[in-house]
Amino acid sequence: MSFFFIDLRPMNRSATHIVTEFVLLGFPGCSEIQIFLFSLFLVIYVLTLLGNGAIICAVRWDPRLHTPMYFLLGNFAFLEIWYVSSTVPNMLANILSRTKTISFSGCFLQFYFFFSLGTTECLFLAIMAYDRYLAICRPLHYPTVMTGNLCGMLVSLCWLIGFLGYPIPIFFISQLPFCGPNIIDHFLCDMDPLMALSCAPAPITEFIFYTQSSLVLFFTIMYILRSYTLLLRAVFRVPSAAGRKKAFSTCGSHLAVVSLFYGTVMVMYVSPTHGIPTLMQKILTLAYSTMTPLFNPLIYSLRNKDMKLALRSVLFRMRISQNS
């Protein structure tokens, strides 16, 4: 019984936290490799901001996109900007830094925002699947069910649940004794590297954290798969080929995003990572934390006729405003 009490009890920080900062090793290599990585990640970050920003502007300015599906897509693009910003700016600063340090509080703040935004993304993907299910399987009820008020409420719930789910477990992790060493072989503050640096084992805190993350992933992916199973059955019943093509176009974009995000996340946080090499863990984390936000605008715009027209309209407006 005493072990469980020690595991969950907040400890006195001054007595236990000898470590005041962590060293993020990032991606090792000579100066030429570091310059190449900095340039690559900077380009990815700028393109991600521009792509998702363009989607937000298109949804806001084009009346044709004032529908629940595009309202959710615009909010999803907004989320992606924050998600990629929780890791990449610090990673870029880390590449240029000689010490490669991050403060104790900065590390746990990044840890909190990274997981909260990731959870919010899972919930957003589930809501977008619900929207597509209603639009295709219940088209007559769709306008009365998926109202602006419901969309706003669902979006608010995604943000609230995402950000209220992790403060307590991350607080307990931050209260663990970190006596040294303080080197994290990663480009961000993640669960496994931090737990490896703790001086005292905390199996209950670790179990609660991974159970919570696994449940979010499991329930959202199961709901998405169920929605798309019903949706595909409905699509195959559509009599016209044009109707089927349009339905596949919208759903295919969403499924591509879901596959890219969930495929890499589940390898990292559901399956055991002890046997995965450190470099591969970094690559997998990069895939869902930076590549997914980068590819989302491309996937949604290239496969969606309305979005392509709206983006052209946004670019046309920008050219007119520059010339005037």
Side-chain angles (χ1 to χ4, degrees):
M1 293 297 292
S2 61
F3 170 77
F4 293 102
F5 177 72
I6 291 170
D7 179 39
L8 289 175
R9 182 185 61 186
M11 300 182 182
N12 184 280
R13 181 169 176 171
S14 61
T16 56
H17 290 308
I18 298 172
V19 170
T20 58
E21 59 184 20
F22 294 101
V23 177
L24 293 173
L25 293 182
F27 293 92
C30 61
S31 58
E32 288 81 6
I33 292 176
Q34 295 297 304
I35 291 169
F36 169 75
L37 290 174
F38 178 85
S39 305
L40 175 65
F41 294 140
L42 180 61
V43 168
I44 288 173
Y45 184 56
V46 171
L47 289 176
T48 302
L49 296 183
L50 290 174
N52 286 286
I55 286 179
I56 294 169
C57 293
V59 171
R60 183 167 179 80
W61 291 341
D62 197 312
R64 290 170 296 186
L65 302 187
H66 292 174
T67 63
M69 182 180 83
Y70 293 110
F71 173 77
L72 293 173
L73 181 56
N75 278 274
F76 187 64
F78 177 74
L79 167 64
E80 292 291 57
I81 288 174
W82 283 102
Y83 190 43
V84 75
S85 297
S86 69
T87 56
V88 175
N90 184 73
M91 182 166 59
L92 293 172
N94 183 267
I95 291 173
L96 297 178
S97 171
R98 290 185 178 181
T99 58
K100 300 187 181 296
T101 57
I102 183 172
S103 67
F104 187 90
S105 57
C107 183
F108 277 93
L109 273 175
Q110 185 189 57
F111 183 27
Y112 169 70
F113 279 107
F114 182 66
F115 272 88
S116 296
L117 290 164
T119 301
T120 307
E121 178 147 350
C122 291
L123 298 171
F124 256 99
L125 290 171
I127 285 174
M128 291 166 79
Y130 172 67
D131 173 73
R132 290 300 81 210
Y133 163 76
L134 278 179
I136 294 172
C137 299
R138 299 284 186 271
L140 297 178
H141 298 91
Y142 182 73
T144 55
V145 175
M146 208 64 178
T147 61
N149 288 335
L150 179 63
C151 284
M153 187 181 72
L154 290 174
V155 167
S156 300
L157 279 174
C158 284
W159 286 98
L160 281 172
I161 294 170
F163 275 81
L164 293 179
Y166 286 98
I168 293 174
I170 289 178
F171 170 76
F172 281 121
I173 295 168
S174 70
Q175 297 304 299
L176 293 172
F178 292 91
C179 313
N182 66 337
I183 297 172
I184 297 176
D185 192 6
H186 212 315
F187 62 86
L188 55 80
C189 295
D190 205 353
M191 180 65 176
D192 281 345
L194 283 171
M195 293 306 297
L197 294 181
S198 173
C199 303
I204 292 184
T205 304
E206 199 169 354
F207 174 77
I208 291 170
F209 186 89
Y210 276 114
T211 300
Q212 182 176 329
S213 302
S214 300
L215 286 174
V216 169
L217 288 170
F218 177 76
F219 282 113
T220 52
I221 191 64
M222 290 304 294
Y223 181 80
I224 290 168
L225 290 174
R226 179 182 175 276
S227 297
Y228 273 96
T229 302
L230 296 172
L231 192 149
L232 288 172
R233 283 171 57 188
V235 166
F236 284 120
R237 292 176 189 159
V238 174
S240 67
R244 283 196 300 271
K245 185 179 178 182
K246 185 177 181 181
F248 273 123
S249 177
T250 8
C251 300
S253 305
H254 188 217
L255 278 174
V257 173
V258 167
S259 303
L260 178 63
F261 180 76
Y262 275 96
T264 49
V265 169
M266 293 186 85
V267 170
M268 281 296 298
Y269 297 108
V270 178
S271 61
T273 57
H274 300 293
I276 303 176
T278 306
L279 180 60
M280 183 55 66
Q281 290 186 36
K282 295 177 187 178
I283 293 170
L284 287 170
T285 307
L286 267 180
Y288 70 81
S289 65
T290 59
M291 302 314 292
T292 305
L294 172 67
F295 288 144
N296 280 352
L298 294 173
I299 291 170
Y300 282 112
S301 60
L302 292 177
R303 295 180 59 88
N304 191 300
K305 183 181 177 182
D306 293 335
M307 182 58 72
K308 280 191 278 191
L309 291 172
L311 288 172
R312 284 175 193 165
S313 175
V314 169
L315 292 173
F316 182 68
R317 281 192 184 192
M318 289 174 67
R319 285 176 186 172
I320 291 175
S321 62
Q322 287 174 355
N323 294 332
S324 60

